[in-house]
Amino acid sequence: MKLFSSVTGVVFPDPKNRLFLWTLLILLSLICGAYFLGNAFSAKEYKQRLARWGLIYSMPDTTTSNSNACKKQCRPSGTQALPQGIVARTSNLETRPLWDDSAVNNRISNHPLNLLAISVGVKQKEVVDKIVKKFPSSDFVVMLFHYDGFVDGWKNLAWSNRAIHVSAINQTKWWFAKRFLHPDIVADYNYIFLWDEDLLVDNFDPKRYLSIVKEEGLEISQPALDPGKSEIHHPLTVHKAGSKVHRRYYKFKGSGRCDDNSTAPPCLGWVEMMAPVFSKKSWQCVWHMIQNDLIHAWGLDRQLGYCAQGDRMKNVGVVDSEYIVHLGLPTLGGSNGNEASDFIFYVKRQYIPCL
């Protein structure tokens, strides 16, 4: 029997028919759910069976595989077999005493923050001595590249025992830098002074210099050159009295003009190679730009903008308030009777011949 509503005009089925319809709907839902679940499991089992038969390739879990691939790619080459926590990617130039642990812990907590590396010959010993004495041992590690092989001639200097000495006959500082100043080795040092030996530093203070460099945001820099006493190769490096820092120079006559519209060397954005100072980030770039067969670095200076960590017109500059004298002495290249293949790595008073 069917019920009729006079108000809405809708015919309602009797209670028995409604119960039957609800039961049928629930039954159909259960059948559909069982079908879809069974189909999913069957498809997975089917693919696995085909993969075992070699008919198709099983698809790996992309999330897990990508994560593992990233971890492997980020690890240094050759460390794949090592446990995750044992890999030490970087080092420094700190020497370590053999037995005194307290001294080790003290030096680790107070190790110098910057590096001074100079290519030297014993004939310029007096000049180099004055340079090194300007750099406080609390803030700088000193590394000497001996191109003449005379390492013992430096032992009478008070600071010689704390310096790192590397010797290779008739090699330039760029040869040494490429082989001994890898970014992972000097990763602890905020700034790297890679200097020649023929520099006078009467008007230079490294602490004030770095304070200005940080304030001005210079990633690559050099101290200005005293024009009255220095050998000047490029006008950009000339000291400007009353100035703290300059990044460009002006030339309005003749060829190669430099004005406010100039955006590249030789007008701005570079420093010369006798006394460059690199931030940690810029050196990570510059080291990779140094070619293995590079000798004098002629032309490298004008490419430094690639490593300026941004705008070379802002991040590369010459510091005027702390300036030096460049003597321009032709010191490298003389023979002292040693074979060019002689190579010794010195640490303090001990040395180890490298085979």
Side-chain angles (χ1 to χ4, degrees):
M1 179 179 180
K2 297 182 180 178
L3 301 178
F4 178 79
S5 174
S6 60
V7 178
T8 61
V10 178
V11 179
F12 297 99
D14 59 30
K16 291 184 179 180
N17 289 337
R18 279 184 289 174
L19 178 63
F20 173 77
L21 291 176
W22 279 111
T23 303
L24 181 62
L25 180 61
I26 293 173
L27 182 61
L28 290 174
S29 300
L30 290 175
I31 293 174
C32 291
Y35 172 78
F36 285 116
L37 289 175
N39 187 56
F41 284 115
S42 299
K44 183 176 181 181
E45 182 180 358
Y46 180 68
K47 289 181 179 180
Q48 291 176 347
R49 185 177 301 173
L50 290 179
R52 287 196 300 269
W53 292 345
L55 297 179
I56 65 171
Y57 294 103
S58 59
M59 298 297 292
D61 186 343
T62 57
T63 303
T64 304
S65 62
N66 289 340
S67 177
N68 292 335
C70 179
K71 290 180 180 178
K72 290 182 179 179
Q73 291 176 358
C74 294
R75 297 189 66 173
S77 177
T79 66
Q80 290 79 2
L82 296 176
Q84 182 68 28
I86 202 174
V87 177
R89 299 192 60 165
T90 64
S91 184
N92 56 45
L93 298 171
E94 291 296 296
T95 57
R96 295 289 187 266
L98 292 177
W99 307 113
D100 190 352
D101 292 340
S102 61
V104 172
N105 294 332
N106 183 58
R107 291 188 64 184
I108 290 176
S109 61
N110 299 287
H111 69 80
L113 301 178
N114 309 290
L115 173 66
L116 170 65
I118 313 176
S119 179
V120 302
V122 73
K123 292 182 179 180
Q124 303 305 320
K125 178 179 174 181
E126 182 179 348
V127 176
V128 174
D129 183 36
K130 292 180 180 179
I131 295 175
V132 174
K133 286 180 177 178
K134 279 279 189 171
F135 289 76
S137 60
S138 59
D139 297 319
F140 289 88
V141 168
V142 176
M143 191 173 193
L144 299 187
F145 302 139
H146 297 271
Y147 60 76
D148 60 357
F150 289 117
V151 179
D152 289 344
W154 298 78
K155 286 186 176 181
N156 64 329
L157 298 179
W159 49 264
S160 181
N161 279 350
R162 66 177 175 84
I164 304 297
H165 300 265
V166 182
S167 176
I169 307 302
N170 285 341
Q171 300 304 307
T172 69
K173 69 180 181 182
W174 301 105
W175 184 93
F176 286 105
K178 185 64 174 179
R179 288 150 183 83
F180 297 100
L181 299 184
H182 187 280
D184 287 347
I185 299 299
V186 298
D188 281 357
Y189 308 119
N190 295 326
Y191 291 92
I192 298 169
F193 290 66
L194 190 56
W195 280 17
D196 287 353
E197 61 183 335
D198 57 342
L199 305 174
L200 302 182
V201 290
D202 295 337
N203 298 294
F204 179 83
D205 182 279
K207 283 191 171 183
R208 287 200 297 265
Y209 181 90
L210 288 183
S211 176
I212 294 170
V213 164
K214 294 174 184 177
E215 179 184 342
E216 294 288 332
L218 298 179
E219 298 288 339
I220 301 174
S221 63
Q222 76 161 83
L225 303 183
D226 185 337
K229 301 177 181 179
S230 300
E231 178 178 303
I232 302 295
H233 297 149
H234 302 282
L236 179 66
T237 63
V238 172
H239 171 250
K240 293 184 177 181
S243 169
K244 183 168 64 173
V245 170
H246 71 270
R247 294 173 171 82
R248 65 169 67 230
Y249 91 102
Y250 294 90
K251 180 184 177 184
F252 300 111
K253 297 180 180 180
S255 60
R257 295 188 180 187
C258 294
D259 53 32
D260 287 329
N261 296 321
S262 302
T263 59
C267 303
L268 79 166
W270 68 295
V271 298
E272 234 181 319
M273 292 289 94
M274 89 288 289
V277 179
F278 303 99
S279 70
K280 180 192 301 186
K281 288 293 185 181
S282 68
W283 179 250
Q284 291 173 351
C285 172
V286 172
W287 185 89
H288 287 90
M289 190 164 60
I290 300 172
Q291 304 301 300
N292 284 327
D293 58 353
L294 185 67
I295 299 176
H296 299 293
W298 294 329
L300 177 66
D301 44 11
R302 301 197 181 195
Q303 307 304 320
L304 293 177
Y306 288 114
C307 299
Q309 307 301 298
D311 188 351
R312 70 187 303 165
M313 294 190 292
K314 296 180 180 179
N315 298 347
V316 182
V318 178
V319 177
D320 292 301
S321 56
E322 302 298 323
Y323 60 96
I324 60 176
V325 173
H326 180 216
L327 298 176
L329 301 177
T331 56
L332 180 60
S335 174
N336 61 5
N338 292 326
E339 293 295 330
S341 60
D342 290 345
F343 172 71
I344 297 177
F345 179 59
Y346 291 78
V347 179
K348 291 193 174 182
R349 292 186 182 275
Q350 304 175 5
Y351 66 90
I352 305 172
C354 296
L355 302 178

